[in-house]
Amino acid sequence: MKFLIPNYRTPDSFVDNVAFTLEKMGYKVISMPQQNSRFLDNRFTHFTRLLNEAVNPNFFTKQEKWLRKQLQSSQSFQVLLTLTQALSYETLQLAKQKGIVCVGWWGDTPANMKKQGLIVKGWDKLYLKDANATEKLKGLGFDVSLMHEAMNPYWHMPLYTDIAENVIVAGSFYGYRNYLVAEMIRKGVHFNLYGRKLPHWASQSVKDIHLNRFIVKEEKSKLFGGALACLNSTAMSEFNSMNCRAFEIAGAEGLQLLEYRPSVESCFDIDQEIKTFRSIDEAVELVSWAKNYPQEAMQVRRAGRKRALAEHTYEHRLIKIINDIS
């Protein structure tokens, strides 16, 4: 079985983890040639793409243009797999004409879909990480299943030698996360903050300590495991779902503090494998608990990693996809 993934494999990205795992499983993967991540993350490039999408109804991204060339070539593919990526009806029909199975796995919040998103005819199977959105698409007749992202045991693993006093946050600083961290700083919690450049409106206390460094693979795992705790939160557009960070932290044997939502209970045992909070004060109390009860915290760390290895690797997810479409 040969997989066609029409996107770039930037280090430790969703695409990179899925393609890497498929190759480890013995499958052939064709993806786009590697690009400089600075170019891909360039704000001018992003703005230009959004402008073109807004004014040109027939606009194709570079990824979709590349895909169409692959579909029009003499190469043979069995599965088209998109990862948080929408395609036009016309492109899906090109794939169907060649007998290719079309699978879409959306790893972001469904609220971030642009235009029609995945809601077009032509998909053989869809996967979303939000239970409510999954039921919504089922009502439209789509063959869609709930599927979270995962962790990659080849680089999401325990690499720490000791545990520091700081709480780590890695990722984008949208409004919710900015306020949460700023308030916890005000209440005396010490942080190490990683990720791409902060928005101009970020709180000054966050700007003062943000390291403006994007972390991936083994470095990310070492920092997750070596932190007193890992604070994990999601944006206001995301509701009953889990982000990839939840599984990566567990894989790195980090102590995870995650805001509560019902989907946590289907992935981890709360208190035994993960700690959850419903307020800023509860999050601060969990940080104090981690400081005062290191042995108990270590038990949670190890149990969380054990659960991640048993149920939440990319191989687990891909085996399900392959079984579904076989």
Side-chain angles (χ1 to χ4, degrees):
M1 190 181 291
K2 185 184 289 186
F3 286 79
L4 180 60
I5 300 179
N7 219 326
Y8 305 101
R9 288 178 64 167
T10 56
D12 209 1
S13 65
F14 190 19
V15 174
D16 191 25
N17 278 290
V18 169
F20 175 93
T21 303
L22 283 169
E23 290 168 345
K24 284 291 183 181
M25 294 168 68
Y27 295 100
K28 179 70 173 177
V29 178
I30 305 298
S31 58
M32 296 183 69
Q34 187 63 53
Q35 291 275 321
N36 188 315
S37 60
R38 289 185 178 179
F39 171 77
L40 295 176
D41 295 334
N42 184 280
R43 291 188 178 184
F44 177 76
T45 302
H46 179 66
F47 174 77
T48 301
R49 179 178 62 80
L50 292 178
L51 181 62
N52 282 325
E53 288 179 349
V55 301
N56 183 1
N58 299 315
F59 172 76
F60 292 132
T61 63
K62 287 186 176 181
Q63 290 92 329
E64 189 160 357
K65 287 177 182 177
W66 177 88
L67 169 59
R68 291 172 70 88
K69 287 182 179 179
Q70 303 305 308
L71 294 174
Q72 291 163 352
S73 72
S74 59
Q75 295 188 73
S76 175
F77 310 99
Q78 286 71 50
V79 182
L80 166 61
L81 175 60
T82 67
L83 301 164
T84 316
Q85 182 180 358
L87 294 176
S88 66
Y89 171 79
E90 292 76 15
T91 299
L92 286 170
Q93 292 311 301
L94 282 177
K96 303 297 288 182
Q97 289 167 15
K98 297 192 71 171
I100 297 173
V101 178
C102 299
V103 180
W105 182 5
W106 193 270
D108 197 3
T109 171
N112 286 344
M113 291 183 188
K114 305 298 182 184
K115 294 185 176 178
Q116 292 171 291
L118 296 181
I119 311 175
V120 295
K121 292 184 181 295
W123 296 104
D124 293 293
K125 185 68 181 180
L126 293 176
Y127 299 91
L128 303 176
K129 69 173 185 177
D130 184 277
N132 296 341
T134 299
E135 292 304 311
K136 197 174 182 72
L137 283 195
K138 282 181 180 178
L140 293 180
F142 286 91
D143 188 350
V144 55
S145 297
L146 177 68
M147 181 172 288
H148 301 292
E149 290 174 273
M151 54 81 77
N152 187 336
Y154 288 92
W155 50 65
H156 303 143
M157 55 183 159
L159 294 172
Y160 61 96
T161 54
D162 52 18
I163 297 174
E165 291 292 315
N166 286 19
V167 176
I168 189 173
V169 178
S172 301
F173 269 76
Y174 39 78
Y176 181 93
R177 179 173 286 165
N178 173 77
Y179 189 89
L180 172 64
V181 171
E183 284 298 292
M184 291 179 70
I185 291 172
R186 189 177 65 82
K187 291 176 179 288
V189 176
H190 298 286
F191 281 95
N192 284 339
L193 307 179
Y194 295 89
R196 294 187 176 92
K197 188 176 179 180
L198 289 170
H200 66 87
W201 47 259
S203 299
Q204 189 59 48
S205 59
V206 171
K207 290 180 179 179
D208 289 343
I209 60 174
H210 193 271
L211 296 168
N212 195 26
R213 195 167 100 231
F214 190 73
I215 53 176
V216 298
K217 295 187 176 182
E218 290 86 356
E219 181 191 16
K220 180 167 65 177
S221 291
K222 186 175 182 179
L223 290 168
F224 281 166
L228 176 67
C230 305
L231 185 70
N232 190 2
S233 64
T234 54
M236 290 297 295
S237 60
E238 196 158 344
F239 296 98
N240 190 20
S241 61
M242 301 283 282
N243 58 10
C244 66
R245 200 73 80 232
F247 306 108
E248 293 172 353
I249 293 169
E253 205 171 271
L255 176 64
Q256 182 164 190
L257 315 182
L258 176 64
E259 61 186 26
Y260 176 79
R261 72 287 305 270
S263 56
V264 178
E265 298 180 37
S266 66
C267 296
F268 295 100
D269 287 334
I270 295 175
D271 288 334
Q272 282 72 44
E273 299 169 343
I274 193 172
K275 292 291 184 179
T276 62
F277 61 91
R278 297 172 185 261
S279 68
I280 292 171
D281 287 340
E282 285 187 3
V284 172
E285 288 173 7
L286 286 172
V287 173
S288 297
W289 173 85
K291 288 180 180 178
N292 296 328
Y293 299 95
Q295 293 183 339
E296 289 83 350
M298 183 57 69
Q299 291 175 357
V300 175
R301 288 168 172 259
R302 289 173 176 163
R305 171 167 168 78
K306 184 178 179 181
R307 180 69 173 269
L309 284 172
E311 297 182 15
H312 301 307
T313 69
Y314 279 99
E315 184 169 352
H316 287 108
R317 309 293 193 244
L318 290 165
I319 287 172
K320 162 115 176 100
I321 290 175
I322 291 165
N323 287 339
D324 285 348
I325 63 177
S326 296

